[in-house]
Structures are given as C-alpha cells and as structure tokens.
Amino acid sequence: RAFTMASVSAMILWWTLIFVVLTSIPPVTSYTILGGIDQEKKDDAESESSFVTQKLRHLQKQIELRIQSHEPSGRVSMAGTLWEASPLLADYITNPACPLEAFQRMRIHDDDDGNVRLQPQPSTVVELGSGVGLASLAAAFLGCRVFATDGSPSSIRLMNENFEKYAPDFAMPPRTLRLDWGDMDAAQSLIQSELCCLPDVIMASDVVYSYSAREELAATIRLLCPKGHSGRVVIAHRWRTDPADEGSFFESFDDDFDREEVGMEFLPDDGYHRTRNMMDMRYPISIFEMRRKC
C-alpha cells in the first residue's frame, strides 16, 4: 500500500510539473506561408496583409503584390495567398516562346518613333479563381484585354489594389469581376455584357483542390469555351495529395477537348520545377493546354 501511495504521489507531481512547463511557454506568434514569408499573427480576428515581391523575368519587371494571410473571421485566407502555380502560369504566358497565338500577337513593341503600340485586336483573357491577380497582371502587361474573376470578396479587393498600383503600365487596365463557379447566369452575363465575345483564353492556376467545386469549375470552363469555339484553356496545377484523383479532373475533358501538357523547356530552369516527385514521378507543377475538338 505504501508503494502504491508513493507511486500515485510521484505521478501527480510529474503531471503537475508538465502542466507548469506547458503553461509557461508563450503562444506561437508567427508562422510561415508559401514562399517562406514570415508574418506576425495578431491576437484579434482582424485580417492580416503584407506584400510579396514577384519577378516577371520575360518582361524584366519586378512587381509587389498585396497578399492576405487571414480573413476578418480569423480563418486562413485562401483567396489572399499567392499559390505556387500562379507564378509559373505568369511566367509561361509571358515567355516569348509561348506558342499560344493569343499571347504571341499581343507582344508590345515600339514603333519607329519609340512609341509603344499594340496590335489592333487585343486578345481577350478571362482568369478563373484569380486570387491576388498575378497571372492577370502578366497578361495585362502584354496588352491583353483581361477580366480577372473570383468568388471571394477578399480576392476582388486585393486585386483592385494590386491592379491600381500598376495602372500607368497598362494599355487597358484589367477588370475585376465577381464570378462563382457554376453560376451559369453570371457566366453568361459576363460573356454578353462585359466581354461582348467569347474569350480567346481562359486561364487558371491552383484551382483543382476542392473536389466539391470541380463540377462547377468544369461547367464554367465549358460555357466560356463552348463547342466550335477556337479559344484555349490554360491551367497550371500543383500536384498535391492524390495525383490520380486530381488528374481525373483534367481527364474529364478528354471526350470533348484536346489536352496537352506544356513541355519542361517552357518552365524556369531551376531545381524546383525540374525535380520529380519520388512518390508518383510527376513534376511538382504541370501546365495543361486544352482546345475544343473539331
């Protein structure tokens, strides 16, 4: 009995010490988001924002984007994050070797007097799930007529701020529009009232992450690029948890779209994009181009 009581007392003392140590550790006040950006976390539920710098190497531009780590509700801001595939999409569409005719014909160049001029018919580009607007900015720098869409009010606010900062650099400032995937009336209104035509390019990055929204996303893409339309769909995707599951989204287009993965020669020549995933032998980020079958 004496041994039992001693054991119980020792155990109580042990757990008391653990409790004292744990409660004396200060709470974590910082965390790391994509790109190794350290931000200070506030104790209240106010939204937090900071800036991230991104280089557009083909345009010889370095731009600063406002991002947001948390929503006013306190949850992590999905819309305010610069996700990994977006810089790669921006890099691809601004690459002089990009084979997409919609971007090739929009190369901004100087006339004999040194004045910047554009081709007479700007390409119309719609981005779905634009986030903070990096890819839309890149297309606008090329001189495209850009419509950046997202379903998040935070995204619309951040894009407006990011676009306004570079307004003097645009021949045509990009437009920001609220568009929820699967809202066919809103998508049709976008075509008829805003674009007044079908877009030459529908682009997106890091949009195949929520299984519940995939059907709505696919329906929106098909409406913007209907049968018989010569437009192109360009999607940059970061492979994450289940490549077979994520790949099924792209395969779902194979009956009515021709699909091709962009070659590695178009990607930045760095270790990250050229490193294979040892689990599934896929490159970490893929870019797919799709066009309607004849």
Side-chain angles (χ1 to χ4, degrees), residues 13-46:
L13 178 61
W14 172 252
W15 284 110
T16 300
L17 288 173
I18 292 177
F19 176 78
V20 170
V21 171
L22 289 177
T23 54
S24 66
I25 297 175
V28 176
T29 58
S30 64
Y31 61 97
T32 302
I33 62 173
L34 176 65
I37 304 169
D38 292 323
Q39 296 180 316
E40 193 72 15
K41 185 176 180 180
K42 300 177 182 178
D43 293 330
D44 54 30
E46 292 180 2

Side-chain angles (χ1 to χ4, degrees), residues 28-218:
V28 176
T29 58
S30 64
Y31 61 97
T32 302
I33 62 173
L34 176 65
I37 304 169
D38 292 323
Q39 296 180 316
E40 193 72 15
K41 185 176 180 180
K42 300 177 182 178
D43 293 330
D44 54 30
E46 292 180 2
S47 61
E48 306 163 32
S49 64
S50 62
F51 291 91
V52 62
T53 301
Q54 181 66 44
K55 184 177 181 180
L56 296 175
R57 58 179 181 138
H58 299 296
L59 300 181
Q60 298 183 341
K61 284 181 176 290
Q62 184 161 297
I63 61 175
E64 188 179 66
L65 297 169
R66 181 176 287 280
I67 60 175
Q68 176 177 293
S69 61
H70 281 71
E71 298 289 344
S73 63
R75 62 184 177 84
V76 173
S77 177
M78 302 291 286
T81 300
L82 180 62
W83 295 101
E84 296 162 292
S86 181
L88 196 64
L89 177 61
D91 185 87
Y92 175 61
I93 65 175
T94 55
N95 190 333
C98 176
L100 291 174
E101 192 272 339
F103 295 116
Q104 282 286 345
R105 74 169 185 253
M106 288 311 305
R107 299 298 166 189
I108 300 178
H109 57 283
D110 296 341
D111 60 20
D112 294 336
D113 297 325
N115 300 313
V116 174
R117 63 188 179 91
L118 304 177
Q119 295 294 338
Q121 293 183 332
S123 299
T124 299
V125 177
V126 172
E127 184 178 15
L128 301 176
S130 302
V132 297
L134 175 59
S136 286
L137 269 173
F141 285 140
L142 286 176
C144 296
R145 181 171 169 253
V146 179
F147 296 83
T149 71
D150 204 287
S152 167
S154 294
S155 174
I156 299 298
R157 175 178 52 80
L158 290 167
M159 284 195 290
N160 281 332
E161 182 173 341
N162 290 330
F163 294 167
E164 183 178 359
K165 181 185 299 184
Y166 296 98
D169 297 340
F170 302 131
M172 289 175 294
R175 294 277 310 280
T176 56
L177 296 167
R178 174 76 180 267
L179 180 64
D180 294 309
W181 301 337
D183 188 339
M184 297 296 101
D185 290 337
Q188 193 65 51
S189 177
L190 170 66
I191 295 171
Q192 296 176 350
S193 303
E194 301 290 343
L195 278 65
C196 300
C197 65
L198 290 171
D200 298 294
V201 175
I202 301 101
M203 64 180 185
S205 61
D206 272 317
V207 290
V208 188
Y209 55 84
S210 175
Y211 183 81
S212 61
R214 292 180 190 175
E215 289 187 7
E216 291 82 358
L217 174 59

Side-chain angles (χ1 to χ4, degrees), residues 257-288:
F257 283 80
D258 290 318
R259 176 169 58 95
E260 181 179 359
E261 186 170 355
V262 171
M264 290 297 295
E265 65 271 19
F266 294 101
L267 303 185
D269 188 14
D270 59 37
Y272 177 77
H273 295 110
R274 293 182 177 275
T275 300
R276 290 181 179 271
N277 184 316
M278 297 306 293
M279 296 298 293
D280 55 41
M281 297 306 291
R282 288 186 184 271
Y283 293 110
I285 300 177
S286 297
I287 300 179
F288 292 102

